[in-house]
Amino acid sequence: MSYLPKFTLFACCVGLLSCAQTPGTGQSAAASTAHTAANNAGSAPLTTGTATQQAPLSDADFAACIDRFSRDAINAGISEQVIRTSLQRATLNRRVLELDRQQPEFTTTFADYFNRRVTAQRVAQGRALWAAHRPLLDRIEQAYGVPAPYLLAFWGLETNFGSYFGNIPVMDSLATLACDTRRSGFFTIELMNALRIVEQGDIAPKKMVGSWAGAMGNFQFMPSAYLKNAVDFDGDNKRDLWHSKPDAMASAAHFLRNLGWVSAERWGREVKLPRNFPFLEAGLKNHKSIAEWRNLGVTRADNTPLPPVDIQASLLVPAGHEGPAFLVYENFNVIMRWNRSEFYALAVGQLADQIAGGAPLVQAPPTDAPRLHRQQVIQLQEALGQKGFYHEKADGIFGPATRRALSEFQHQQGLIADGFPSRTLLTMLGVLSD
């Protein structure tokens, strides 16, 4: 029996700082951000760029820091043996500091982000893995209420289906970041939790490898997420998120359930908008019932009516009015609690749909959208601020607040208020020259 009807029933922080995979292939570490506001304040993911300046961490500083953390770990009840064989063997990794201090230089368009992640190859691999692990995935869905296509989509985006976990010793990366002053508080907690994982016997320190930020295993859990959500699903008395697919996939499902996953509901869907649609109604914070969206002329992407279900939805147009439009439901918000990027959540939802047998996007995102330098985004924010539309600090991140301000400016100017920074609009605001 086809799984698609069930999957599409309703018409289908603590956590990671950096995934192990590159956006498209999973070949190198630390290419995308996940699970916390620390690295992911905006909805549009950004490419890496220049590093901020900060006083270097010396070898002597690191050694003194490890001594201090060793005392703190003892006071926290961690055994001297674990401290001696893991924490006190940690080494300063300067590449980790370089990666942590890098600032995004250019924005990434939705087309670039989406097309590098939701590929025919990844869809085919997801379907093959579903067929290979169907009994396991069925048991996990029965236990946690998360359908297989979603787990496979997360797995594909996080580590390219387990092909790359990152290769940096987690103790090295977490100790380095905890001893650095920039975000010491957060990473000190993660370091202590990593020591607790070792003490519980789930994995040996030398096998505990991950991304530059300490994210681990098939689904790139930070240690705190590991302790709260990892489960032993294969019954060997260990929670192994690296080598045990049952443990890894069940732990991801458990995490999603704890984040609020709504069983039997989908994430959202691609939709079609009528001419003269009021784009000020778009945005994640604007909620309407499906009936209200239907009354505004919104249909499914194939022009058929929206389903008669009593749920709230928000409308997103990540590539402007010329790109695809999406109605998103509560499980979309759950995905964004895993990773605070609208682009990421849309990629998860679409990848899951296609793994389940759904078609690709009806309306492909335009590929000619401008990529903005961080300084250009600051210029845009300042220009919108001067006109009374943007009220936040100009930070160079094109997130929801910037998009909303741009939409309101467009509306005032009698333009399509989709919040999209077209070349014409950027020229009008002085960000681009004629």
Side-chain angles (χ1 to χ4, degrees), residues 308-338:
V309 292
D310 184 19
I311 57 176
Q312 294 289 304
S314 299
L315 185 110
L316 299 180
V317 282
H321 70 280
E322 294 183 350
F326 303 92
L327 279 184
V328 297
Y329 312 140
E330 178 56 28
N331 280 338
F332 183 88
N333 298 324
V334 174
I335 298 171
M336 285 195 63
R337 293 176 199 132
W338 178 295

Side-chain angles (χ1 to χ4, degrees), residues 227-281:
L227 289 176
K228 291 181 180 180
N229 302 286
V231 296
D232 170 24
F233 206 72
D234 61 11
D236 68 351
N237 296 317
K238 293 182 180 181
R239 299 178 297 174
D240 184 354
L241 304 193
W242 289 264
H243 310 105
S244 169
K245 289 183 177 65
D247 289 1
M249 288 191 277
S251 297
H254 187 215
F255 193 5
L256 287 167
R257 188 178 72 177
N258 288 342
L259 290 173
W261 190 266
V262 182
S263 180
E265 286 189 13
R266 53 181 290 137
W267 67 276
R269 63 168 59 254
E270 185 186 4
V271 295
K272 185 175 182 179
L273 306 180
R275 291 181 180 272
N276 301 319
F277 179 81
F279 280 92
L280 282 178
E281 301 296 332

Side-chain angles (χ1 to χ4, degrees), residues 170-182:
V170 168
M171 290 298 168
D172 290 358
S173 59
L174 292 179
T176 296
L177 292 166
C179 291
D180 188 41
T181 58
R182 197 169 85 86

Side-chain angles (χ1 to χ4, degrees), residues 23-35:
T25 63
Q27 297 301 309
S28 72
S32 63
T33 53
H35 285 12

Side-chain angles (χ1 to χ4, degrees), residues 188-200:
T188 297
I189 293 171
E190 296 299 336
L191 176 62
M192 294 299 162
N193 283 332
L195 293 172
R196 293 185 176 98
I197 292 171
V198 173
E199 184 145 56
Q200 291 175 1

Side-chain angles (χ1 to χ4, degrees), residues 121-145:
Q121 179 182 2
R122 187 164 278 170
V123 170
Q125 189 173 358
R127 291 174 178 173
L129 288 166
W130 190 7
H133 300 290
R134 187 178 293 270
L136 168 65
L137 290 164
D138 287 348
R139 287 196 297 119
I140 291 173
E141 181 181 2
Q142 185 175 16
Y144 299 106

